[in-house]
Amino acid sequence: MPATVYTIHYETPEKQKIHKIIEVLHSGGVILYPTDTGYSLGCKLSNKEAITKLRRIRQMDTDHPMTFLCLDISNISEYAKVENNAYKMIKRLTPGPYTFILPASKNVPKYSYNPKRKTSGIRIPDNRLCKALLTELGEPLICLTAKLPDKPEFDDNEDTINAFMKLVDVCVRTNEHHFVGESTVIDLTQDEFVIQRRGAGYDELQDLISDEL
C-alpha cells in the first residue's frame, strides 16, 4: 500500500497535518521527511520494531548506530553525556547542519547504537518542520539519510518520494526546500574533538576553532 503524502508549509507547518504524522509515528510507523540537510527516514527513537524496519530499508546491520534529532541542547543532555567543552561547542553551532557523536546516556535504547562504542549521533536541526515534529512527538526522531543500497542519488525531491512511496508509511514534502547538504560529523567523545566528515557548516566550524585559538 502506497504511503500517505502530506504537503506542509515550509514556514508555518500546519498543526493538523503534524498531528496526523505524529499519530503514525506513535503507532510504530516510519516516515520520509525533509530536514535542513536533505530528505531523511525517521521513526521514534523508542520504537524497536520501527528502527528494525528502517535498518531493513537501508540494509544496515543490527550494530549500525542510529542518528537522531533533538529539539534543543537541553534535550541532548537527556540522551548523551556532555562535558563542558562539548557543551560550549554544541551551543555555538546549533541549530545547524552538525552531527555530534557523544556517549549515550541510559535514556538511549541499546538497540539504537553500536554496543561496542555506546555512542549516539545527535543533531539539532535548523528546520521548522523538524522542530514542529519534535515538539509534538515529545522524544527524539531518528534521522537516516534517505538513500537506497546500490542506487545513485536522486535527481530531485519527487524522485525521492517516489522511490520510498512503497517502503514507508508517510512521505512528507514542503512547499519549498532549502537543503544545505550532508552534515558535518564531529566526534566529541574524547578531550579533543575529531571531525569525522566534512559537510555543510564546515567553514563556520573552522572559524569557531580559529576564534578559540
PDB file of all heavy atoms in Angstrom, residues 182-195:
ATOM      1  N   GLU A 182      24.801  17.306   3.209  1.00  0.00           N
ATOM      2  CA  GLU A 182      25.045  16.432   4.353  1.00  0.00           C
ATOM      3  C   GLU A 182      25.753  17.158   5.486  1.00  0.00           C
ATOM      4  O   GLU A 182      26.511  18.109   5.266  1.00  0.00           O
ATOM      5  CB  GLU A 182      25.856  15.208   3.918  1.00  0.00           C
ATOM      6  CG  GLU A 182      27.267  15.511   3.462  1.00  0.00           C
ATOM      7  CD  GLU A 182      28.016  14.271   3.047  1.00  0.00           C
ATOM      8  OE1 GLU A 182      27.408  13.182   2.998  1.00  0.00           O
ATOM      9  OE2 GLU A 182      29.223  14.366   2.771  1.00  0.00           O
ATOM     10  N   SER A 183      25.489  16.698   6.690  1.00  0.00           N
ATOM     11  CA  SER A 183      26.012  17.377   7.877  1.00  0.00           C
ATOM     12  C   SER A 183      27.498  17.126   8.076  1.00  0.00           C
ATOM     13  O   SER A 183      28.056  16.137   7.590  1.00  0.00           O
ATOM     14  CB  SER A 183      25.249  16.908   9.126  1.00  0.00           C
ATOM     15  OG  SER A 183      25.488  15.529   9.360  1.00  0.00           O
ATOM     16  N   THR A 184      28.132  18.032   8.798  1.00  0.00           N
ATOM     17  CA  THR A 184      29.491  17.810   9.286  1.00  0.00           C
ATOM     18  C   THR A 184      29.394  16.976  10.559  1.00  0.00           C
ATOM     19  O   THR A 184      28.594  17.280  11.450  1.00  0.00           O
ATOM     20  CB  THR A 184      30.189  19.147   9.584  1.00  0.00           C
ATOM     21  OG1 THR A 184      30.439  19.830   8.345  1.00  0.00           O
ATOM     22  CG2 THR A 184      31.512  18.939  10.304  1.00  0.00           C
ATOM     23  N   VAL A 185      30.195  15.906  10.633  1.00  0.00           N
ATOM     24  CA  VAL A 185      30.137  14.990  11.782  1.00  0.00           C
ATOM     25  C   VAL A 185      31.336  15.243  12.689  1.00  0.00           C
ATOM     26  O   VAL A 185      32.490  15.202  12.242  1.00  0.00           O
ATOM     27  CB  VAL A 185      30.124  13.522  11.318  1.00  0.00           C
ATOM     28  CG1 VAL A 185      30.065  12.587  12.527  1.00  0.00           C
ATOM     29  CG2 VAL A 185      28.941  13.264  10.391  1.00  0.00           C
ATOM     30  N   ILE A 186      31.049  15.502  13.973  1.00  0.00           N
ATOM     31  CA  ILE A 186      32.091  15.846  14.947  1.00  0.00           C
ATOM     32  C   ILE A 186      32.034  14.854  16.105  1.00  0.00           C
ATOM     33  O   ILE A 186      31.016  14.737  16.792  1.00  0.00           O
ATOM     34  CB  ILE A 186      31.891  17.270  15.488  1.00  0.00           C
ATOM     35  CG1 ILE A 186      31.705  18.270  14.340  1.00  0.00           C
ATOM     36  CG2 ILE A 186      33.078  17.664  16.361  1.00  0.00           C
ATOM     37  CD1 ILE A 186      31.238  19.643  14.800  1.00  0.00           C
ATOM     38  N   ASP A 187      33.125  14.149  16.335  1.00  0.00           N
ATOM     39  CA  ASP A 187      33.224  13.201  17.457  1.00  0.00           C
ATOM     40  C   ASP A 187      33.656  13.970  18.704  1.00  0.00           C
ATOM     41  O   ASP A 187      34.759  14.515  18.762  1.00  0.00           O
ATOM     42  CB  ASP A 187      34.243  12.111  17.116  1.00  0.00           C
ATOM     43  CG  ASP A 187      34.242  10.978  18.132  1.00  0.00           C
ATOM     44  OD1 ASP A 187      33.929  11.230  19.312  1.00  0.00           O
ATOM     45  OD2 ASP A 187      34.563   9.834  17.763  1.00  0.00           O
ATOM     46  N   LEU A 188      32.767  14.000  19.694  1.00  0.00           N
ATOM     47  CA  LEU A 188      33.032  14.721  20.940  1.00  0.00           C
ATOM     48  C   LEU A 188      33.189  13.765  22.121  1.00  0.00           C
ATOM     49  O   LEU A 188      32.961  14.137  23.268  1.00  0.00           O
ATOM     50  CB  LEU A 188      31.889  15.699  21.224  1.00  0.00           C
ATOM     51  CG  LEU A 188      31.685  16.823  20.200  1.00  0.00           C
ATOM     52  CD1 LEU A 188      30.451  17.643  20.552  1.00  0.00           C
ATOM     53  CD2 LEU A 188      32.907  17.714  20.130  1.00  0.00           C
ATOM     54  N   THR A 189      33.593  12.542  21.848  1.00  0.00           N
ATOM     55  CA  THR A 189      33.706  11.548  22.921  1.00  0.00           C
ATOM     56  C   THR A 189      35.042  11.627  23.649  1.00  0.00           C
ATOM     57  O   THR A 189      35.199  11.029  24.713  1.00  0.00           O
ATOM     58  CB  THR A 189      33.528  10.124  22.366  1.00  0.00           C
ATOM     59  OG1 THR A 189      34.539   9.868  21.371  1.00  0.00           O
ATOM     60  CG2 THR A 189      32.156   9.950  21.741  1.00  0.00           C
ATOM     61  N   GLN A 190      36.004  12.360  23.093  1.00  0.00           N
ATOM     62  CA  GLN A 190      37.322  12.493  23.708  1.00  0.00           C
ATOM     63  C   GLN A 190      37.556  13.943  24.133  1.00  0.00           C
ATOM     64  O   GLN A 190      36.764  14.838  23.830  1.00  0.00           O
ATOM     65  CB  GLN A 190      38.419  12.055  22.724  1.00  0.00           C
ATOM     66  CG  GLN A 190      38.222  10.670  22.140  1.00  0.00           C
ATOM     67  CD  GLN A 190      38.260   9.576  23.202  1.00  0.00           C
ATOM     68  OE1 GLN A 190      39.026   9.663  24.171  1.00  0.00           O
ATOM     69  NE2 GLN A 190      37.435   8.549  23.029  1.00  0.00           N
ATOM     70  N   ASP A 191      38.676  14.176  24.824  1.00  0.00           N
ATOM     71  CA  ASP A 191      39.012  15.536  25.258  1.00  0.00           C
ATOM     72  C   ASP A 191      39.167  16.474  24.069  1.00  0.00           C
ATOM     73  O   ASP A 191      38.766  17.639  24.116  1.00  0.00           O
ATOM     74  CB  ASP A 191      40.291  15.530  26.099  1.00  0.00           C
ATOM     75  CG  ASP A 191      40.107  14.848  27.444  1.00  0.00           C
ATOM     76  OD1 ASP A 191      38.939  14.791  27.904  1.00  0.00           O
ATOM     77  OD2 ASP A 191      41.093  14.372  28.013  1.00  0.00           O
ATOM     78  N   GLU A 192      39.768  15.970  22.993  1.00  0.00           N
ATOM     79  CA  GLU A 192      39.915  16.744  21.769  1.00  0.00           C
ATOM     80  C   GLU A 192      38.952  16.189  20.724  1.00  0.00           C
ATOM     81  O   GLU A 192      38.940  14.977  20.480  1.00  0.00           O
ATOM     82  CB  GLU A 192      41.348  16.685  21.249  1.00  0.00           C
ATOM     83  CG  GLU A 192      42.358  17.374  22.164  1.00  0.00           C
ATOM     84  CD  GLU A 192      43.730  17.482  21.517  1.00  0.00           C
ATOM     85  OE1 GLU A 192      43.850  17.133  20.325  1.00  0.00           O
ATOM     86  OE2 GLU A 192      44.660  17.910  22.221  1.00  0.00           O
ATOM     87  N   PHE A 193      38.160  17.067  20.139  1.00  0.00           N
ATOM     88  CA  PHE A 193      37.173  16.600  19.181  1.00  0.00           C
ATOM     89  C   PHE A 193      37.840  16.211  17.862  1.00  0.00           C
ATOM     90  O   PHE A 193      38.923  16.674  17.515  1.00  0.00           O
ATOM     91  CB  PHE A 193      36.091  17.649  18.954  1.00  0.00           C
ATOM     92  CG  PHE A 193      36.554  18.880  18.231  1.00  0.00           C
ATOM     93  CD1 PHE A 193      36.622  18.896  16.849  1.00  0.00           C
ATOM     94  CD2 PHE A 193      36.910  20.014  18.940  1.00  0.00           C
ATOM     95  CE1 PHE A 193      37.045  20.026  16.175  1.00  0.00           C
ATOM     96  CE2 PHE A 193      37.336  21.152  18.281  1.00  0.00           C
ATOM     97  CZ  PHE A 193      37.405  21.161  16.890  1.00  0.00           C
ATOM     98  N   VAL A 194      37.161  15.336  17.115  1.00  0.00           N
ATOM     99  CA  VAL A 194      37.657  14.847  15.827  1.00  0.00           C
ATOM    100  C   VAL A 194      36.564  15.047  14.784  1.00  0.00           C
ATOM    101  O   VAL A 194      35.407  14.659  14.996  1.00  0.00           O
ATOM    102  CB  VAL A 194      38.029  13.351  15.902  1.00  0.00           C
ATOM    103  CG1 VAL A 194      38.460  12.842  14.526  1.00  0.00           C
ATOM    104  CG2 VAL A 194      39.134  13.121  16.931  1.00  0.00           C
ATOM    105  N   ILE A 195      36.904  15.645  13.663  1.00  0.00           N
ATOM    106  CA  ILE A 195      35.953  15.815  12.569  1.00  0.00           C
ATOM    107  C   ILE A 195      35.957  14.536  11.741  1.00  0.00           C
ATOM    108  O   ILE A 195      36.945  14.202  11.085  1.00  0.00           O
ATOM    109  CB  ILE A 195      36.306  17.030  11.698  1.00  0.00           C
ATOM    110  CG1 ILE A 195      36.276  18.310  12.536  1.00  0.00           C
ATOM    111  CG2 ILE A 195      35.332  17.147  10.517  1.00  0.00           C
ATOM    112  CD1 ILE A 195      36.788  19.529  11.819  1.00  0.00           C
TER     113      ILE A 195
END
